[in-house]
Amino acid sequence: MKTIALLTVLAIGAFLLYGTPEFPAWGDPQAPAALHVSPYYIEHTIEDTAVPNVVTSVLADYRGYDTMFETSVIFAAGLACLMLLRRYQPKTQETRLYRHVPTGITLRIAQGGKIPEASDEFERIDSQWVPYDLIVKLTARLIVPFAQLFALYVIAHGHHSPGGGFQGGVIYGAALILYAVSFDLRSTFRRLSERTAILLSAAGVLIYASTGFLCMLMGGNFLDYGYLAPLLGGDPVMARSHGIFIVEIGVGMAVMAVMVSLYYNLASAGRHDEGL
Amino acid sequence: MNANLPELIVIIPLIGAFLITLAATVHGKLCFPLAAAILTGALVSAVGLLGRVLAEGVVEYHLAGWRPPWGIGYRVDPLNGLVLVVVAAVALINLLGTRPLVEKDFGDRLGPFYTLYVLFVTGLMGIVVTGDAFNLYVLLEIAAITGYALIGMGNPQRAPLAGLNYIFMGTIGASLYLLGVGYIYLVTGTLNMMDIAARLPALAGSRLVMTAFIFCIAGLCLKMGFFPLHAWLPNAYSHAPAAVSSLIAPLMTKVMVYVMIRIMLTVFDPGFTFGTMGVSRGMVWLAVAAILGGSILALGTRHLKRMLTYIIVAEVGYMVGGFWLGNRAGISGAALHIVNDAAMTLCVFLAAGTFFYKIGGESIDDLQGLFRKMPVSMAAFAVGGLSIIGVPPTCGFFSKWYLISGGLAAGQYAFVGALLFSSLVNLALFFRIFEIAFFEPFQEHHGAHGAPAGTARQEAPLQMLVPLVLTALGLVALGLYSGDMVSRLIEHAIPAGIV
């Protein structure tokens, strides 16, 4: 079996090499890929969409339809992870640890034991609890807000610089995951619950798709942002630029929520009890 | 809205999928009616679109208003118009017919389940309708990821591993296809299918085009489970939840066969596909191996769904072999078999799901006495079985007829022999089941307590029976309209150069 696998790999490798001599030279301006469709994008981006960043205009306008489905792929991946990993088990299955805050005494509640009522004196702790970690928590506190701000900047500035919904969404998600890692899973749930994460991920893609649908209702083709001009103000070209911005927000929202939801399910093995 | 029909068939299920997730947070009971409404909408649009294609010829749609090749374009001809109706109809019938099964298995997760279900259908509809080689890949990813998740939710001991194998193989297949599209872009600078087709003839003899061609075929063969790349398929389909295997088994492989026909005939020139590349004969021989291998493996198992999955392996061989015969009858037979096999597979898998719902067993030995206990579902299963064997007037006979006459015209007698052999094996397979279900008494330990042994009728609930019976009747109807389908739809989609 291993030999067959090795032979297959060698055959595919040889086949890849067979084609390579005809590759155009690296960065060749006369390569077919540089002569047919791309020149149109480079020359017309500003007059068509008023977006200086050609990558953004191709990604979110000329081929925006692909991007909508790429966002849906991310949504589907988050949902798949939820569906396969999430365990809805009764909460009293395992031993749980509580800490009496004023005295620092830890209580171990075995299966079926009585759980302290919600009060300020007791807090639920992870099995690998460590006392207040000044350096880690303080650093995270400093980084998280700036990371979130930067994420919003990246989403908003995709028109002019590298960035956009995917990158910004990932940064925003990473900020929340950093918070979850340095504090604990339960305090992250208080900020962004599982339900909100699922809702946000669906709403994000829905923003994208329904923007497209709105264009259809306004008389254009699907995702033809130019027809949104009467709603957004300005001429059809500026409407395209604004339309791109709206869908980038949707993408950012969906990506952020899916990142966080993936972390929730992977870090707690689907039990949403204790994190990493 | 009529002008937007090509887009509506994809966008209704897409937006609908997100609405299901939102509705699930309000109440789980909302999911099923919403999903049914969405898929009905998609089916109505697909039928409307097919009507438009019949009236006006090829329908095009430019997404975001950009003319191809700069933007993404949809292009609907009679062939994909027909496949779209099939996908929408199968998805809707299966949704209606499996509600009790879904509620039993996923009662606490109805929202995610139906969202993934509808997204999977979105992916398949998008694959079929698109005229852009890269857009096809993106939709392939949607159908694949949702498919992995749906399959992985089956039998907890086996399904996750089967799903993981499917992920590996499916990802390799999709990557090979993407590599092929990348090479095509490298030499033509475009992704639109018609534009590629217009620019490829000037590149005759290019090694990159040949490499791209081979990578596309290899990737698609892996995705459709074509022998010898079928190893992931039986496990993935037989360990999936019952409601999922009757969705994925009829659709995924058939849609991939459609994609192969589309890429080989529309993107690459038929002369190039069947002539220059010189792979036709080899592909037909592989199809012969697929048919023989699938039939023999099916004989060796007593697990009902597993047996049906091996039959699918053989049926993929029918379609791929028929296509690579390279003549009109063969390609018509392959295209017609996409429709017929989707319907037959739906029928037998729905019936298997119904049996599983009532008796809980999946071995063919558990079917003892079922003709008396569940006469209606068993009769529907029998119609499906007869159609797979190829008994007229069920639809299976007609596509097999085209395939055999194509094989004779092309002088591929081995292919004809394999088709006849597989019909005989299917005869043995299904009559073995009929015998068990008809003659052997029903075993008491399966029945509910207190029910008189042997003769008690315990039919499945009406909401499962009606879709199943409709599908079985549909098999006969499809058979009666085979001639019309070929002359009015499929004939127009095959390039004129093929005789």
Side-chain angles (χ1 to χ4, degrees):
Chain A
M1 209 61 199
K2 266 190 183 165
T3 334
I4 299 174
L6 194 65
L7 287 176
T8 318
V9 170
L10 285 177
I12 293 178
F15 197 62
L16 279 169
L17 287 177
Y18 171 77
T20 39
E22 288 193 5
F23 273 22
W26 180 254
D28 181 4
Q30 297 304 313
L35 291 178
H36 181 38
V37 181
S38 341
Y40 177 87
Y41 296 141
I42 296 168
E43 287 160 18
H44 295 85
T45 294
I46 290 283
E47 59 189 78
D48 279 351
T49 64
V51 175
N53 185 351
V54 186
V55 176
T56 301
S57 69
V58 173
L59 177 117
D61 194 346
Y62 293 108
R63 295 191 69 89
Y65 193 60
D66 278 343
T67 309
M68 181 179 76
F69 282 109
E70 290 295 353
T71 320
S72 313
V73 168
I74 291 176
F75 170 77
L79 208 61
C81 195
L82 171 91
M83 196 76 189
L84 293 174
L85 288 179
R86 188 79 173 92
R87 298 281 169 269
Y88 298 93
Q89 273 161 0
K91 287 190 176 160
T92 48
Q93 286 289 313
E94 299 152 16
T95 310
R96 304 173 84 179
L97 298 179
Y98 285 85
R99 182 166 171 273
H100 188 234
V101 182
T103 58
I105 292 171
T106 302
L107 299 179
R108 177 185 293 274
I109 313 281
Q111 279 187 359
K114 195 158 177 278
I115 297 166
E117 282 167 27
S119 72
D120 290 344
E121 297 210 334
F122 286 98
E123 64 166 1
R124 172 94 198 274
I125 57 174
D126 288 355
S127 46
Q128 289 163 335
W129 182 78
V130 278
Y132 189 80
D133 192 329
L134 181 75
I135 293 174
V136 171
K137 290 193 176 171
L138 202 62
T139 318
R141 268 189 185 169
L142 284 174
I143 292 176
V144 168
F146 288 105
Q148 289 176 332
L149 203 60
F150 181 63
L152 296 180
Y153 164 78
V154 169
I155 294 176
H157 216 249
H159 283 47
H160 296 274
S161 58
F166 287 98
Q167 295 85 338
V170 167
I171 297 172
Y172 204 105
L176 285 169
I177 291 174
L178 175 68
Y179 179 76
V181 172
S182 53
F183 287 76
D184 61 4
L185 203 56
R186 281 181 303 280
S187 35
T188 322
F189 280 141
R190 280 196 290 277
R191 300 282 191 302
L192 182 71
S193 71
E194 182 199 13
R195 195 180 140 109
T196 321
I198 296 170
L199 279 179
L200 279 179
S201 60
V205 206
L206 196 59
I207 289 178
Y208 205 139
S210 47
T211 307
F213 195 70
L214 198 60
C215 304
M216 223 168 180
L217 292 181
M218 300 290 290
N221 278 1
F222 188 74
L223 279 179
D224 194 341
Y225 310 123
Y227 284 82
L228 295 178
L231 297 178
L232 298 171
D235 54 51
V237 174
M238 263 332 271
R240 285 196 169 270
S241 178
H242 292 148
I244 292 175
F245 181 59
I246 295 172
V247 302
E248 293 276 20
I249 292 173
V251 172
M253 223 161 106
V255 171
M256 179 277 287
V258 169
M259 291 277 295
V260 175
S261 144
L262 285 179
Y263 173 81
Y264 285 169
N265 282 312
L266 290 173
S268 67
R271 289 200 309 277
H272 288 207
D273 193 20
E274 293 185 3
L276 291 177
Chain B
M1 272 309 181
N2 203 23
N4 285 318
L5 271 182
E7 178 48 29
L8 282 179
I9 55 170
V10 178
I11 212 63
I12 291 176
L14 181 74
I15 292 186
F18 307 124
L19 292 181
I20 292 177
T21 295
L22 298 184
T25 55
V26 181
H27 203 290
K29 286 266 176 234
L30 292 173
C31 297
F32 174 80
L34 197 55
I38 290 159
L39 291 181
T40 311
L43 179 61
V44 169
S45 318
V47 172
L49 182 62
L50 184 62
R52 235 185 98 188
V53 171
L54 279 174
E56 304 171 14
V58 173
V59 172
E60 299 210 7
Y61 188 83
H62 301 161
L63 286 145
W66 297 114
R67 210 155 39 81
W70 296 285
I72 295 168
Y74 277 179
R75 190 169 182 282
V76 189
D77 66 4
L79 178 61
N80 53 356
L82 179 64
V83 178
L84 283 171
V85 174
V86 171
V87 172
V90 169
L92 178 64
I93 293 175
N94 183 59
L95 180 88
L96 299 176
T98 55
R99 185 182 185 184
L101 277 165
V102 174
E103 282 179 354
K104 198 171 90 177
D105 289 348
F106 308 109
D108 54 345
R109 288 175 287 179
L110 288 176
F113 180 87
Y114 281 122
T115 309
L116 288 170
Y117 188 109
V118 174
L119 265 183
F120 176 77
V121 180
T122 313
L124 293 183
M125 302 283 266
I127 292 174
V128 178
V129 75
T130 191
D132 188 282
F134 182 75
N135 188 240
L136 194 151
Y137 168 77
V138 177
L139 273 302
L140 197 61
E141 268 188 279
I142 299 234
I145 287 195
T146 48
Y148 305 143
L150 290 169
I151 284 176
M153 291 183 308
N155 172 0
Q157 260 80 49
R158 309 290 300 276
L161 182 62
L164 191 67
N165 272 330
Y166 183 24
I167 290 182
F168 291 149
M169 302 307 282
T171 310
I172 294 172
S175 310
L176 288 179
Y177 172 77
L178 184 63
L179 206 58
V181 173
Y183 275 30
I184 291 175
Y185 182 74
L186 205 61
V187 288
T188 62
T190 179
L191 292 168
N192 183 270
M193 289 184 188
M194 297 313 282
D195 199 30
I196 296 172
R199 299 171 76 87
L200 275 184
L203 296 159
S206 159
R207 280 182 174 194
L208 280 176
V209 175
M210 290 163 99
T211 322
F213 179 87
I214 297 290
F215 275 129
C216 285
I217 298 190
L220 293 173
C221 285
L222 195 53
K223 286 295 258 186
M224 72 176 81
F226 182 57
F227 190 88
L229 304 172
H230 68 284
W232 57 269
L233 188 144
N235 276 334
Y237 287 4
S238 54
H239 298 306
V244 171
S245 31
S246 51
L247 171 73
I248 297 185
L251 291 181
M252 195 70 192
T253 51
K254 259 56 78 182
V255 166
M256 287 301 122
V257 172
Y258 158 78
V259 173
M260 181 185 75
I261 297 180
R262 174 65 62 206
I263 301 279
M264 296 300 139
L265 289 188
T266 306
V267 177
F268 295 99
D269 179 65
F272 178 81
T273 301
F274 296 123
T276 319
M277 285 307 292
V279 292
S280 306
R281 195 157 276 272
M283 291 297 279
V284 174
W285 276 105
L286 276 179
V288 170
I291 298 172
L292 297 182
S295 304
I296 291 168
L297 288 169
L299 273 176
T301 176
R302 295 190 79 79
H303 185 283
L304 178 62
K305 261 163 79 182
R306 203 172 180 78
M307 183 195 98
L308 297 176
T309 59
Y310 285 126
I311 293 179
I312 294 180
V313 173
E315 302 274 344
V316 171
Y318 286 21
M319 290 177 275
V320 178
F323 172 75
W324 286 98
L325 290 174
N327 56 25
R328 228 177 169 79
I331 298 175
S332 307
L336 184 62
H337 205 63
I338 291 179
V339 181
N340 293 349
D341 193 41
M344 307 185 309
T345 315
L346 174 70
C347 181
V348 287
F349 270 91
L350 266 184
T354 313
F355 301 152
F356 177 66
Y357 180 73
K358 285 309 277 188
I359 62 182
E362 289 194 307
S363 161
I364 59 174
D365 299 310
D366 294 324
L367 304 179
Q368 286 170 349
L370 269 197
F371 264 116
R372 246 160 299 163
K373 189 185 173 208
M374 301 170 72
V376 183
S377 351
M378 199 62 210
F381 180 78
V383 175
L386 293 177
S387 182
I388 290 179
I389 297 166
V391 180
T394 54
C395 58
F397 169 76
F398 295 95
S399 37
K400 211 170 268 184
W401 180 260
Y402 278 101
L403 290 172
I404 289 177
S405 50
L408 291 175
Q412 295 277 12
Y413 299 110
F415 182 65
V416 177
L419 284 175
L420 295 175
F421 173 76
S422 139
S423 305
L424 278 179
V425 171
N426 289 343
L427 191 72
L429 288 172
F430 282 101
F431 274 84
R432 182 170 70 176
I433 294 177
F434 297 159
E435 191 194 346
I436 291 173
F438 198 79
F439 292 112
E440 296 191 23
F442 183 69
Q443 289 185 348
E444 284 130 70
H445 64 260
H446 289 303
H449 293 291
T455 51
R457 267 188 68 168
Q458 289 190 351
E459 239 341 320
L462 213 56
Q463 51 181 337
M464 296 180 88
L465 275 186
V466 172
L468 177 60
V469 171
L470 280 180
T471 314
L473 294 177
L475 292 181
V476 181
L478 277 177
L480 297 178
Y481 287 99
S482 291
D484 281 345
M485 269 201 290
V486 172
S487 62
R488 295 191 61 193
L489 295 169
I490 296 173
E491 279 285 319
H492 298 289
I494 301 177
I498 296 173
V499 283

